Amino acid sequence: MNVLSTCAASACQQAVCRALCSVVTKGNIVGVPVGTHPYHKFEIMKWNGWGYSDSRFLFNKKGQAEFTGKRYRLSGMIIPGLKDWFEGTFGANLQHKTPPTPLLTNTAVPPATLNEAFVEEVKSTGIPFSHDAEDRVFRAHGHCLHEIFALREGKIGRVPDMVVWPSCHNDVVKIVQLACKHNVCLMPYGGGTSVSSALECPPEETRSIVSLDTSQMNRILWIDEKNLTAHVEAGIVGQDLERLLNESGYCTGHEPDSMEFSSLGGWVATRASGMKKNIYGNIEDLVVHIKMVTPQGVIEKSCQGPRMSTGPDIHHFIMGSEGTLGVVTEVTMKIRPMPEYQKYGSVVFPNFEQGVACLREVAKQRCAPASIRLMDNEQFKFGHALKPQVSSIFTSFLDGLKKFYITKFKGFDPNHLCVATLLFEGNREKVLQHEKQVYDIAAKFGGLAAGEDNGQRGYMLTFVIAYLRDLGMDYYVIGESFETSVPWDRVLDICRNVKARIIRECKDKGVQFPPLSTCRVTQTYDAGACVYFYFAFNYRGLSDPVHVYEQVEHAAREEILANGGSLSHHHGVGKLRKEWMRDTISNVGMGMLKSVKDYVDPNNIFGNRNLL
Amino acid sequence: MTDTYKDSGRAGLEDVDEFVDILEERRRSSDLGYAFRTFNPQPYKGAPSCSTADLNKAVLESQYLSYMAKEIAMETGSSVEEVREEVCGILEEMSQNLQLGFIRMMAYTLSKVFKRLFTSILVNMEGLNMLQQAVQESPVILMPNHRSYMDFLAISYILFTYDIPVPVIAAGIPLAGMKMVGEILRRSGAFFIRRAIGSDKLYWAVLSEYVKTIVRRGFAPVEFYVEGLRSRTLKSLLPKLGMMHMVLEPFFKGEVYDITLVPISISYDRVLEESLLAHELLGVPKPKESTTGLLKATKVLQENYGSMHVNFGRPLSVRQLCHGKINRCQFNLVPRDLPQQPSAEAQACVSWLAHLMVRIQEEGLLISPWSLMACMLLQAPTTVLTEEGLLWHQLTEKTLWLRKLALDFGARLNWPGQVPDSDVISSTVALHCSVVQRKAGRVYLVQENEPLRKCPISPEDGVIRMAAPLLMLASYRNQSMHVFVRPAMLATAIRVTESTQRDELFSFFCFLQDVFSNEFIFIPGKSPQDFEEACVLLKKCGAVNFSQQEVMVLDAGSEVLSFLQALLQPFIDSYQVMFRYLCEEGVHVLSEKQFLPAVRNLATELILSGELCTYEALSSDMQKNVLSALRRLEAVTKLRASEQNEYRVNKAAVRRIGDILSRKIPPQMLQTTPDARL
């Protein structure tokens, strides 16, 4: 089964070379893809913001918002409502700009502390590496607000001293061995979409820090059609994995909001969750086999039995280990035939309470569609503001009619109503049947079907919403999202209390304008739900906005915990939420995890100091 | 955090101007027009309003009551349906039925009544404005002190007048039994609670779910008396914790973001029920609340009761107050609806908050000239008051002296500024002609006019006759006790211990607090602060000087110190009488029913023999307080099996407390129940 005879080719430096490589497995021939991510990511991606360099929101000369580039459905469109919403919600003003530092100045980057012996030996293995400032800075952060804010101001803290690009499992084995030998600190880096300060270099680390970038390990090594599994290198990012599987008629169905950039290894390391988990499951339901390289050697199971009773599942030491134990190199995961039919939908509820009651009922009847999300009123308005300019008079007439029907005829208060977006998948007949079932339940809670377009736009927005933060940051507005999971009976309470706490804390901390404090329920489970909070405010008049932001987020997390919410549903702990770990998992729990760390990595080679 | 309430503003005379007389407008314009004006209060933002039917349905269908019904059905062997029916019955008896029409009717009637009874009803506008804001933000709990049946009527009346949502009010069930009146009150927002719920689990459950549902919904402020009862002695009562816990629990469990507590201090120049109260204290049973009784009481309406002050305190955030005192995560691992004993932490927090609220009520009270005079009158020997008469100018001088002291101590006074002091004093005496009379430059106590009897009254009856006006005076004195009690305890400690050492004084001070904490309100765990406050106040008025180690009496301080000691003396003497009874009595087990008359007899005897100077030992309120204090101090234990409140007395323990109080032995810290302290 070990097929990587061509591993030596990993020394080849460019994608061109890689495209020539091919891997033969027992049944399938899979071309090695050209990864979406080149070695030097900043060539196509922003170094100080979200996503692709060519895609961004801006206010054009007429003061209208538009989204640039060609990559998204929204690309190239005018968004007429955004300006008013933006100014109205935040009290922001297009005259008051806060542009970022345009270029990374190398002088701002601390010089690399290299472990010469380690560098020499890496060189001799032929594994590509770099200590260019751009490469190092790019891998020194995730996408927490404070990280991006600092980059925009051109402030660079401790960054990795070197980046290595292994291109296969064996490369990783070599690197880890060398790191152990020379006592170098390794920090695995996948897609770089962390929002838990997990990629921040510990400032107290005195050893040379090497960022182990898995982006070149991005092949599907084989597809097993009999068992419907695929064996994939862990550096592959979500969109590539999905695209390549689609070419063979399959999918994983794992679609976290960050799937354009986040990697399979990252999903495993943080216990990721996908939008369509109702059909496909979360990452822990999807993996069949994991291979991880640790300082003690390689950890993996001996077979692919679908379930085992062999003591505690060692996968659960790996999943959520956040790069503290080793590098995930290869994963066997479940795949499914691509769905025959997809249908979006949306339901408007008179208020959030009714909406939550409906989601709860759907969960109770275990008939949740692939995805069901409920936005609160503020987010509904936000989504509304992001409607692109409509081309035909007919559509705008229809929109007007819909609005009239809902607010006037049905008597929904536009300041209370909220909307659920739905995505159904499967064969056509079953989807339609399923759709009817869900709409019938919704009707019992006063829900009105509000069309496919609204639903589809809702999902499309999840990919562009991260770009919107960069726009806000151009105009004194900072914000972020955070999430939790909570039992059903506490969903309403936690939403109300956390939102209220955010508003109260902002006021107490001297924020001059009322903040945007909004939430949505993004996943349903038998016993509870996942809730996402969005929080942003206009920081004009504050001397240290990031500190204020962090204080408010901290208070919000305390409020979440006091209301029976979890520390995290899928973002992970990183360093941002470490302080609450002991309360979260008890002293003994901490001891267990620590003793695993002590055994697997006694010299703290994987020294990113996440989690514990 | 503990001192957040302090800046609620203790102020002197000048603050009285902020008060607005709401009757002034009523005397000028039509009451009918007023009652039918548009009433359009700003409602609570968090939730829509909620009809009586919706509310009751929510309570009935609550998960909590469904758990409870199952539990009780299991225990009693009846079916769940039977229990649920019982729940319906309880709810029907309890529930309010707030209707605007009835509020208007009340507004009309009360306009007439208030105008007849009171010269003015003065309300602080600033407090009302803050309340108006607060009702929009979070569920509001109105917490007035309770001195008269007028209290809740006046508050609803004021809120109606100022377009604030009228409250739902926890009222005693006897009111519900009154023909017509009960229903009117119900429709004006009263809900009715049985007295002596005791161990009726189902009743507690229904009540608590009912109250919690109202708080969670937040559609109307909830009003209840944290003191539980109307104070017969015009002194704050020890807070009751049951209702307090019910209103706070939705916050503890995260069901609401915050709850706002609004302490309300109502001060009366003259209390309508004054003579009724004195007689109740002497063992004449309270007349049953009945509509005919109410009509008979109309003669009360013929008299003038001066002014009434309603002081709305600064709204307090429970979230802020409880910060660091309650761990809301404690409900993470069990269903929040599950019937459970509150944790020790929650109990301590509720108790602390309840005490704090009563203290804030006290600080918001306005002290009337009459209360100051009562302090002075009671320090004169009884024979002077009844026979020789107290010299008018002496009373005036002393009252003015006390006014200065009260101001030094930070009291809020209700002393008219524009009028000469002598006029104030005369009009005060005139208002209280039922208690004192001025004749030929002297002041006399008014004794009851008994119908002429053939046989001369016995000496014992004479004592009781004398006692009524004296207890009335004592009640009016009590209106200002909270201002003086801390320095008075220090003054007593100084006299009894004859020491200047701070630790020694502090330990006696703590002992006094322990003994008298059923009598006066002390916030649990705050003894050091109370002691410090006492030192500071006595220094401020020039009576003592103090350092880290010592408290030195100054020569100029003797007048203040002896006044303060004398103020506390009736309490000490009365307690000693009761301790003496308990120690001498042959039996070791006694019931409350036996205790009260027996102590009354002993006290009467001692008064007649001249051994006891105060009549307050005759007060049933004080007698009950002694029993409670001794129970708290574990010198008396309640017999579990007993139906009739029987107690076993530990004579040695009682004697020890008495001996410490008279300084026969030095104080050692007495055992107190831990849950009352934080």
Side-chain angles (χ1 to χ4, degrees):
Chain A
M1 196 56 80
N2 184 358
V3 291
L4 272 186
S5 50
T6 54
C7 200
S10 68
C12 66
Q13 309 264 312
Q14 293 302 327
V16 189
C17 166
R18 300 178 51 80
L20 298 171
C21 309
S22 69
V23 180
V24 183
T25 72
K26 269 185 186 160
N28 294 296
I29 299 171
V30 180
V32 174
V34 179
T36 306
H37 296 279
Y39 289 84
H40 307 292
K41 291 193 172 187
F42 48 86
E43 284 163 8
I44 59 160
M45 291 174 72
K46 296 189 192 88
W47 69 278
N48 61 357
W50 179 261
Y52 298 107
S53 305
D54 55 17
S55 301
R56 54 184 293 246
F57 282 98
L58 52 80
F59 286 111
N60 62 24
K61 288 195 179 111
K62 285 190 213 154
Q64 285 176 313
E66 63 178 81
F67 191 57
T68 64
K70 294 192 180 106
R71 293 173 187 270
Y72 300 92
R73 266 185 47 162
L74 204 59
S75 297
M77 292 210 202
I78 300 283
I79 304 127
L82 188 57
K83 175 172 174 272
D84 284 349
W85 177 85
F86 184 69
E87 292 184 331
T89 305
F90 296 108
N93 187 321
L94 298 196
Q95 312 308 316
H96 300 135
K97 289 201 69 174
T98 43
T101 311
L103 288 170
L104 175 64
T105 45
N106 283 355
T107 49
V109 183
T113 322
L114 293 175
N115 181 321
E116 293 301 340
F118 175 77
V119 176
E120 282 312 307
E121 290 215 45
V122 169
K123 217 178 251 172
S124 71
T125 62
I127 297 169
F129 66 91
S130 158
H131 34 80
D132 286 355
E134 283 94 343
D135 287 327
R136 290 161 53 217
V137 168
F138 200 92
R139 285 157 187 83
H141 67 86
H143 285 271
C144 287
L145 175 84
H146 65 270
E147 294 172 316
I148 300 300
F149 197 91
L151 288 175
R152 288 171 62 96
E153 298 210 310
K155 288 184 187 149
I156 315 286
R158 177 84 157 100
V159 304
D161 300 298
M162 172 175 165
V163 182
V164 290
W165 285 274
S167 47
C168 63
H169 171 80
N170 286 345
D171 281 0
V172 175
V173 172
K174 283 180 211 159
I175 293 168
V176 172
Q177 276 169 356
L178 291 179
C180 293
K181 183 174 167 192
H182 298 288
N183 194 23
V184 160
C185 172
L186 285 181
M187 285 180 61
Y189 180 90
T193 56
S194 145
V195 281
S196 58
S197 299
L199 291 169
E200 259 176 35
C201 295
E204 65 271 36
E205 181 60 66
T206 53
R207 296 172 296 182
S208 180
I209 299 179
V210 175
S211 176
L212 190 153
D213 184 326
T214 60
S215 62
Q216 305 311 308
M217 302 176 15
N218 53 18
R219 292 164 296 182
I220 295 174
L221 298 177
W222 45 255
I223 292 174
D224 178 346
E225 291 182 301
K226 289 186 181 153
N227 294 308
L228 287 184
T229 54
H231 190 63
V232 189
E233 288 184 311
I236 195 165
V237 296
Q239 59 170 323
D240 293 345
L241 177 61
E242 238 25 42
R243 197 187 64 239
L244 292 168
L245 286 174
N246 287 174
E247 283 168 11
S248 313
Y250 296 105
C251 67
T252 63
H254 185 68
E255 296 185 10
D257 289 359
S258 61
M259 71 175 286
E260 290 173 278
F261 307 108
S262 58
S263 68
L264 170 56
W267 300 338
V268 171
T270 57
R271 295 181 64 87
S273 169
M275 178 181 96
K276 299 195 289 196
K277 71 94 194 156
N278 293 334
I279 293 183
Y280 300 96
N282 285 319
I283 195 72
E284 67 272 21
D285 311 307
L286 285 165
V287 295
V288 176
H289 184 268
I290 304 173
K291 202 191 266 185
M292 179 166 80
V293 181
T294 77
Q296 289 285 18
V298 175
I299 175 173
E300 62 179 324
K301 291 186 190 174
S302 67
C303 68
Q304 299 184 58
R307 182 182 186 275
M308 302 182 202
S309 173
T310 50
D313 190 340
I314 56 163
H315 283 173
H316 286 285
F317 290 121
I318 299 170
M319 284 189 288
S321 60
E322 301 191 359
T324 58
L325 299 177
V327 187
V328 176
T329 55
E330 291 171 16
V331 176
T332 308
M333 68 191 299
K334 299 179 196 169
I335 56 171
R336 300 287 306 164
M338 282 171 71
E340 185 183 302
Y341 187 64
Q342 270 198 338
K343 191 170 182 192
Y344 290 97
S346 64
V347 183
V348 180
F349 292 98
N351 55 48
F352 191 65
E353 288 76 9
Q354 294 283 71
V356 170
C358 173
L359 261 63
R360 203 280 162 268
E361 185 60 29
V362 166
K364 200 188 240 170
Q365 297 192 19
R366 292 201 170 164
C367 64
S371 168
I372 177 165
R373 289 178 170 176
L374 179 75
M375 304 185 228
D376 70 1
N377 182 259
E378 288 83 2
Q379 268 190 45
F380 163 76
K381 288 177 180 162
F382 174 42
H384 215 69
L386 283 169
K387 262 192 178 177
Q389 202 160 34
V390 283
S391 40
S392 82
I393 300 175
F394 181 66
T395 340
S396 75
F397 172 73
L398 265 186
D399 279 353
L401 210 61
K402 249 187 248 162
K403 194 175 162 191
F404 178 82
Y405 176 72
I406 288 172
T407 58
K408 294 292 180 311
F409 189 73
K410 280 288 172 179
F412 284 16
D413 181 344
N415 290 316
H416 287 292
L417 63 80
C418 73
V419 63
T421 57
L422 310 166
L423 172 61
F424 298 90
E425 259 187 33
N427 77 43
R428 192 159 189 283
E429 202 180 321
K430 280 201 180 134
V431 161
L432 296 179
Q433 213 181 338
H434 193 180
E435 192 186 20
K436 182 172 182 316
Q437 189 187 5
V438 172
Y439 284 127
D440 284 350
I441 294 173
K444 282 189 199 136
F445 297 91
L448 294 173
E452 289 186 61
D453 279 1
N454 283 320
Q456 189 168 12
R457 206 178 45 251
Y459 289 102
M460 186 248 319
L461 288 181
T462 57
F463 294 111
V464 300
I465 201 159
Y467 286 99
L468 213 55
R469 182 171 76 180
D470 293 334
L471 177 72
M473 288 170 90
D474 288 339
Y475 297 94
Y476 281 99
V477 173
I478 52 177
E480 196 163 358
S481 59
F482 44 91
E483 41 74 39
T484 186
S485 56
V486 64
W488 276 117
D489 73 310
R490 308 196 68 142
V491 170
L492 282 176
D493 291 332
I494 208 170
C495 290
R496 179 192 52 241
N497 291 351
V498 172
K499 287 197 286 183
R501 178 77 181 263
I502 288 170
I503 291 169
R504 162 61 49 190
E505 293 285 336
C506 280
K507 205 171 167 190
D508 291 351
K509 302 283 179 299
V511 177
Q512 311 277 313
F513 306 87
L516 174 70
S517 173
T518 148
C519 71
R520 63 185 188 195
V521 180
T522 59
Q523 289 292 5
T524 62
Y525 291 88
D526 285 348
C530 168
V531 179
Y532 236 91
F533 294 96
Y534 290 84
F535 153 49
F537 63 89
N538 181 343
Y539 67 83
R540 285 192 69 204
L542 295 181
S543 59
D544 192 351
V546 171
H547 182 62
V548 170
Y549 171 82
E550 284 173 344
Q551 285 180 308
V552 178
E553 188 187 330
H554 189 274
R557 182 59 63 180
E558 298 258 306
E559 191 63 33
I560 286 173
L561 298 175
N563 283 276
S566 64
L567 190 53
S568 172
H569 171 261
H570 61 274
H571 281 175
V573 175
K575 289 177 273 289
L576 193 62
R577 288 176 274 274
K578 250 166 93 164
E579 63 179 289
W580 292 289
M581 265 304 267
R582 189 171 291 278
D583 286 343
T584 301
I585 63 170
S586 80
N587 280 328
V588 179
M590 283 294 272
M592 274 185 178
L593 295 189
K594 278 218 167 93
S595 62
V596 169
K597 166 78 179 172
D598 289 346
Y599 169 74
V600 174
D601 184 16
N603 297 317
N604 196 29
I605 296 302
F606 288 91
N608 61 18
R609 302 190 193 226
N610 290 336
L611 207 59
L612 295 177
Chain B
M1 197 53 59
T2 50
D3 284 339
T4 39
Y5 67 96
K6 282 283 175 181
D7 46 327
S8 60
R10 292 157 148 229
L13 288 166
E14 66 279 11
D15 271 7
V16 177
D17 295 344
E18 300 164 13
F19 283 80
V20 168
D21 178 13
I22 63 164
L23 290 186
E24 201 176 302
E25 172 70 21
R26 291 291 88 251
R27 293 189 207 278
R28 276 193 273 116
S29 67
S30 144
D31 288 336
L32 207 59
Y34 156 78
F36 282 99
R37 57 188 249 290
T38 25
F39 176 63
N40 200 5
Q42 288 290 317
Y44 170 48
K45 280 184 214 150
S49 71
C50 167
S51 73
T52 308
D54 288 346
L55 177 66
N56 290 3
K57 186 160 169 269
V59 174
L60 270 178
E61 288 171 1
S62 67
Q63 185 68 48
Y64 172 71
L65 280 184
S66 130
Y67 275 126
M68 240 11 223
K70 272 182 211 149
E71 199 177 302
I72 287 167
M74 193 98 87
E75 284 169 11
T76 58
S78 48
S79 73
V80 174
E81 285 67 40
E82 285 167 341
V83 179
R84 291 203 75 87
E85 237 157 75
E86 212 180 318
V87 169
C88 289
I90 295 173
L91 202 53
E92 201 169 305
E93 172 193 277
M94 183 183 299
S95 81
Q96 52 83 20
N97 187 11
L98 189 57
Q99 290 173 0
L100 188 55
F102 280 80
I103 299 287
R104 293 186 188 287
M105 192 183 89
M106 288 290 273
Y108 178 76
T109 322
L110 287 176
S111 294
K112 301 284 180 211
V113 173
F114 285 153
K115 278 189 282 187
R116 175 162 290 176
L117 289 176
F118 297 109
T119 325
S120 53
I121 296 182
L122 295 146
V123 181
N124 65 326
M125 291 314 294
E126 201 197 346
L128 267 185
N129 291 337
M130 287 189 289
L131 174 60
Q132 197 152 34
Q133 275 302 311
V135 290
Q136 298 172 42
E137 312 270 314
S138 20
V140 165
I141 315 296
L142 301 175
M143 301 180 67
N145 57 346
H146 196 12
R147 301 292 175 265
S148 163
Y149 282 124
M150 288 293 131
D151 297 333
F152 72 90
L153 298 175
I155 290 172
S156 293
Y157 184 81
I158 294 165
L159 298 198
F160 174 76
T161 309
Y162 287 95
D163 255 6
I164 297 171
V166 288
V168 294
I169 306 149
I173 200 101
L175 288 177
M178 295 166 74
K179 279 192 204 86
M180 297 269 295
V181 176
E183 198 49 35
I184 292 174
L185 291 177
R186 201 184 283 277
R187 293 184 187 211
S188 313
F191 65 94
F192 297 101
I193 305 176
R194 290 183 197 161
R195 294 227 194 286
I197 304 166
S199 54
D200 186 342
K201 232 163 108 176
L202 188 64
Y203 191 84
W204 266 115
V206 177
L207 174 62
S208 97
E209 187 60 27
Y210 188 71
V211 172
K212 285 188 279 187
T213 308
I214 299 174
V215 175
R216 284 193 285 253
R217 300 270 171 130
F219 63 94
V222 175
E223 178 177 319
F224 78 100
Y225 300 114
V226 67
E227 297 167 290
L229 298 167
R230 197 158 43 94
S231 168
R232 267 62 171 166
T233 56
L234 305 188
K235 181 157 58 65
S236 297
L237 301 180
L238 218 55
K240 298 277 184 292
L241 305 183
M243 191 69 133
M244 190 74 187
H245 194 268
M246 289 173 204
V247 301
L248 293 175
E249 207 177 72
F251 170 74
F252 293 167
K253 291 188 169 173
E255 293 163 334
V256 294
Y257 176 71
D258 198 356
I259 292 172
T260 304
L261 304 180
V262 179
I264 303 174
S265 314
I266 306 177
S267 330
Y268 293 91
D269 279 355
R270 187 180 165 205
V271 179
L272 268 77
E273 297 92 334
E274 56 179 19
S275 95
L276 214 57
L277 293 179
H279 286 95
E280 266 185 65
L281 291 176
L282 288 169
V284 182
K286 177 173 96 157
K288 193 173 178 301
E289 285 92 342
S290 72
T291 309
T292 41
L294 183 75
L295 292 173
K296 275 183 204 154
T298 43
K299 77 159 196 268
V300 172
L301 296 183
Q302 309 306 319
E303 292 188 43
N304 177 15
Y305 294 89
S307 299
M308 168 182 185
H309 280 83
V310 184
N311 188 2
F312 287 85
R314 197 161 57 95
L316 299 166
S317 150
V318 169
R319 179 176 271 268
Q320 272 175 33
L321 287 167
C322 293
H323 183 78
K325 287 197 156 66
I326 195 95
N327 174 12
R328 286 181 292 149
C329 292
Q330 61 185 293
F331 303 103
N332 283 2
L333 296 177
V334 280
R336 288 176 295 170
D337 313 305
L338 201 68
Q340 268 189 315
Q341 279 299 314
S343 65
E345 183 196 43
Q347 283 178 358
C349 182
V350 167
S351 163
W352 168 77
L353 206 45
H355 282 82
L356 178 66
M357 294 310 287
V358 179
R359 281 290 296 131
I360 299 174
Q361 286 174 353
E362 287 186 336
E363 298 204 337
L365 289 172
L366 274 92
I367 309 290
S368 66
W370 172 239
S371 176
L372 299 178
M373 287 165 78
C375 290
M376 282 310 181
L377 286 166
L378 278 174
Q379 296 201 0
T382 317
T383 48
V384 171
L385 291 181
T386 50
E387 283 151 33
E388 297 134 45
L390 190 65
L391 281 170
W392 178 257
H393 71 88
Q394 211 179 341
L395 179 63
T396 309
E397 260 170 43
K398 286 196 165 184
T399 306
L400 292 177
W401 174 84
L402 187 55
R403 179 179 75 168
K404 187 182 168 303
L405 187 68
L407 285 176
D408 276 349
F409 285 0
R412 289 163 162 257
L413 291 191
N414 156 29
W415 193 291
Q418 321 77 341
V419 195
D421 290 336
S422 57
D423 291 5
V424 173
I425 305 236
S426 347
S427 63
T428 302
V429 169
L431 182 66
H432 292 277
C433 56
S434 57
V435 186
V436 288
Q437 266 180 332
R438 179 183 180 181
K439 266 188 286 186
R442 285 173 186 269
V443 180
Y444 298 89
L445 200 63
V446 175
Q447 292 183 59
E448 290 192 344
N449 295 319
E450 288 278 316
L452 281 171
R453 282 196 237 172
K454 295 219 172 99
C455 52
I457 48 169
S458 68
E460 286 79 14
D461 284 346
V463 170
I464 299 291
R465 265 187 65 198
M466 189 84 80
L470 282 170
L471 287 188
M472 269 154 81
L473 263 189
S475 291
Y476 283 111
R477 171 209 59 196
N478 285 344
Q479 287 182 321
S480 48
M481 269 313 278
H482 62 94
V483 175
F484 300 112
V485 68
R486 285 160 193 77
M489 284 188 161
L490 178 54
T492 303
I494 289 170
R495 197 207 62 207
V496 174
T497 60
E498 293 171 338
S499 165
T500 57
Q501 293 303 305
R502 244 181 109 132
D503 345 342
E504 212 173 327
L505 290 170
F506 179 61
S507 75
F508 196 77
F509 183 89
C510 291
F511 165 76
L512 287 175
Q513 282 200 329
D514 274 344
V515 172
F516 290 115
S517 67
N518 289 71
E519 213 67 54
F520 311 107
I521 306 300
F522 303 111
I523 296 173
K526 289 271 168 285
S527 297
Q529 289 87 331
D530 284 336
F531 183 73
E532 183 69 25
E533 185 187 318
C535 292
V536 170
L537 293 180
L538 283 187
K539 185 179 176 183
K540 197 172 160 196
C541 67
V544 304
N545 233 333
F546 68 96
S547 66
Q548 288 298 324
Q549 285 79 35
E550 281 189 300
V551 180
M552 291 80 63
V553 176
L554 301 176
D555 290 342
S558 64
E559 192 180 6
V560 170
L561 290 179
S562 60
F563 162 76
L564 290 172
Q565 287 152 13
L567 197 61
L568 204 57
Q569 203 56 45
F571 294 91
I572 295 177
D573 290 345
S574 304
Y575 271 51
Q576 287 288 24
V577 168
M578 290 178 243
F579 293 162
R580 181 168 150 190
Y581 168 79
L582 288 171
C583 292
E584 283 172 3
E585 182 60 29
V587 281
H588 291 267
V589 173
L590 83 169
S591 70
E592 197 176 294
K593 266 196 188 136
Q594 297 167 322
F595 179 68
L596 300 189
V599 168
R600 194 174 299 132
N601 288 340
L602 175 63
T604 310
E605 223 173 85
L606 293 175
I607 290 169
L608 284 173
S609 72
E611 210 176 318
L612 180 65
C613 301
T614 174
Y615 282 63
E616 290 181 56
L618 297 171
S619 154
S620 61
D621 183 76
M622 195 175 285
Q623 293 156 1
K624 286 175 195 163
N625 282 345
V626 168
L627 272 188
S628 306
L630 290 175
R631 272 185 73 192
R632 188 168 38 77
L633 298 170
E634 289 169 355
V636 154
T637 38
K638 194 169 182 174
L639 295 183
R640 287 251 168 107
S642 159
E643 297 258 314
Q644 297 167 323
N645 291 345
E646 283 183 309
Y647 301 95
R648 179 184 303 282
V649 184
N650 176 346
K651 289 181 190 300
V654 175
R655 194 170 294 123
R656 194 168 63 241
I657 296 168
D659 286 350
I660 301 171
L661 197 54
S662 56
R663 196 58 184 183
K664 283 185 193 141
I665 50 175
Q668 59 253 55
M669 291 307 286
L670 287 164
Q671 203 67 47
T672 50
T673 42
D675 69 346
R677 309 266 136 171
L678 267 184

